[in-house]
Amino acid sequence: MEKRENFSRKRMAILSALQETTVHPTADWVYSQLKPKYPDLSLGTVYRNLKKFCETGKAASVGVIGGQEHFDANTTPHAHLVCDSCGAVVDVFQEFFPQEELQTLSQDLACRIQGAQVTFRGLCPNCSKETPQS
Amino acid sequence: MEKRENFSRKRMAILSALQETTVHPTADWVYSQLKPKYPDLSLGTVYRNLKKFCETGKAASVGVIGGQEHFDANTTPHAHLVCDSCGAVVDVFQEFFPQEELQTLSQDLACRIQGAQVTFRGLCPNCSKETPQS
DNA sequence: ATGTGTGCAAAGCTTTTGCATCATC
DNA sequence: GATGATGCAAAAGCTTTGCACACAT
């Protein structure tokens, strides 16, 4: 009978993995992370659940970086910095486009802007430290 | 001898196609566009040249939207709006992060920001017109 | 019973790449 | 000849999907 508590334990594990990290992982990262603890986990399941999280607002896509989609469980408005050197995706906790600004912009452009994604490119704090001035 | 003026005519055609449109095309769009005029054009060539244009600064990537990378021959700082309804990528000619602001931000975060990509999401002017208030 | 979640493997799509060929110099 | 560009097809890589089975209600 010990099989019974399988009520989406894996789904919870995927969401937790996403919530407990700040690396903005890819599906593959989550899979590798959980595989040891859930040996029969399938990559398809990770993809399916990540997609579902995005649809239900539990997570958001950071976009495709280096050919792979990155996810973020922090859905509060903030930006990201993608490091040219190490590829890291780090948070920039600042809201550059509050609703009122989006509305102003929408009026100016005769469109309906509903969200903004801000992505910086450069060197992350770590790599910035280790790289001599250019 | 009529073969002689083949000096990268295709490369020029690819760049021109990119420059003469505002749709921020994908590799496949460029390929389809040029194929009638250049029946022996290969998709690989389009990919190779688009990549080269990005490396040499003649073009820039708008990012991966709907699974395909979109390109832009306009490399002046500006933003984009991706339409949730028709998928169009339209220009927003405004520079939201001038160099000085990037430098300020870099200091605050102890990093080195070298560029910013701003992408809005919502309804483009066309779809906004045709869609009743929500 | 019905619906949902999953593993597995196959398929799908976009993009890259190896190799032979052709053009230019 | 040497270099660079291309066509073609194969390969690679990421993501989705069909199907059968297990689990939950």
Side-chain angles (χ1 to χ4, degrees):
Chain A
M1 280 307 125
E2 38 145 341
K3 273 184 178 184
R4 69 167 38 216
E5 61 171 309
N6 201 28
F7 166 63
S8 269
R9 252 197 11 245
K10 284 169 190 167
R11 171 170 302 165
M12 299 309 165
I14 294 170
L15 185 55
S16 294
L18 202 58
Q19 290 171 333
E20 289 164 12
T21 184
T22 62
V23 304
H24 309 86
T26 63
D28 197 63
W29 187 95
V30 173
Y31 174 73
S32 305
Q33 198 76 2
L34 296 177
K35 188 67 173 173
K37 217 173 297 182
Y38 301 85
D40 63 340
L41 178 65
S42 144
L43 191 51
T45 296
V46 176
Y47 275 104
R48 273 187 283 237
N49 281 298
L50 287 176
K51 181 181 246 187
K52 173 154 296 196
F53 295 152
C54 288
E55 288 165 2
T56 56
K58 291 193 190 65
S61 171
V62 180
V64 177
I65 300 164
Q68 287 177 276
E69 187 159 18
H70 290 245
F71 297 89
D72 192 344
N74 180 354
T75 58
T76 63
H78 65 286
H80 296 101
L81 164 60
V82 177
C83 182
D84 287 336
S85 175
C86 70
V89 180
V90 312
D91 286 309
V92 177
F93 289 116
Q94 201 166 333
E95 184 179 13
F96 295 98
F97 294 97
Q99 277 303 320
E100 45 178 74
E101 180 142 2
L102 295 186
Q103 285 182 16
T104 304
L105 260 170
S106 295
Q107 287 177 6
D108 292 352
L109 302 170
C111 63
R112 295 192 217 164
I113 298 176
Q114 287 166 358
Q117 192 179 52
V118 176
T119 307
F120 299 107
R121 190 191 50 72
L123 294 184
C124 72
N126 276 344
C127 292
S128 185
K129 250 184 300 179
E130 294 163 10
T131 307
Q133 290 300 46
S134 63
Chain B
M1 279 307 121
E2 39 147 340
K3 274 184 177 182
R4 71 168 35 219
E5 60 173 310
N6 201 28
F7 165 64
S8 270
R9 253 197 8 245
K10 284 168 189 166
R11 172 169 301 165
M12 298 309 165
I14 294 169
L15 185 55
S16 295
L18 202 58
Q19 290 171 333
E20 290 163 11
T21 184
T22 62
V23 302
H24 309 87
T26 64
D28 196 63
W29 186 95
V30 173
Y31 175 73
S32 304
Q33 198 76 2
L34 296 178
K35 188 68 173 173
K37 218 173 297 183
Y38 301 86
D40 63 340
L41 178 64
S42 142
L43 192 51
T45 296
V46 176
Y47 274 105
R48 272 187 284 240
N49 280 297
L50 287 176
K51 180 182 247 188
K52 173 154 296 197
F53 295 152
C54 287
E55 287 166 1
T56 57
K58 292 192 188 66
S61 171
V62 180
V64 177
I65 300 164
Q68 286 177 278
E69 187 161 18
H70 290 245
F71 298 88
D72 192 344
N74 181 353
T75 58
T76 63
H78 66 285
H80 297 101
L81 164 60
V82 177
C83 182
D84 287 335
S85 174
C86 70
V89 180
V90 312
D91 286 308
V92 177
F93 289 116
Q94 202 165 331
E95 184 179 13
F96 295 98
F97 294 96
Q99 276 303 318
E100 45 178 74
E101 180 142 1
L102 295 186
Q103 284 181 17
T104 304
L105 260 170
S106 294
Q107 287 175 6
D108 292 353
L109 302 171
C111 63
R112 295 191 215 164
I113 298 177
Q114 288 167 358
Q117 192 179 50
V118 177
T119 307
F120 299 106
R121 190 191 51 70
L123 294 184
C124 72
N126 276 344
C127 292
S128 186
K129 247 183 303 179
E130 294 163 10
T131 307
Q133 289 301 48
S134 63

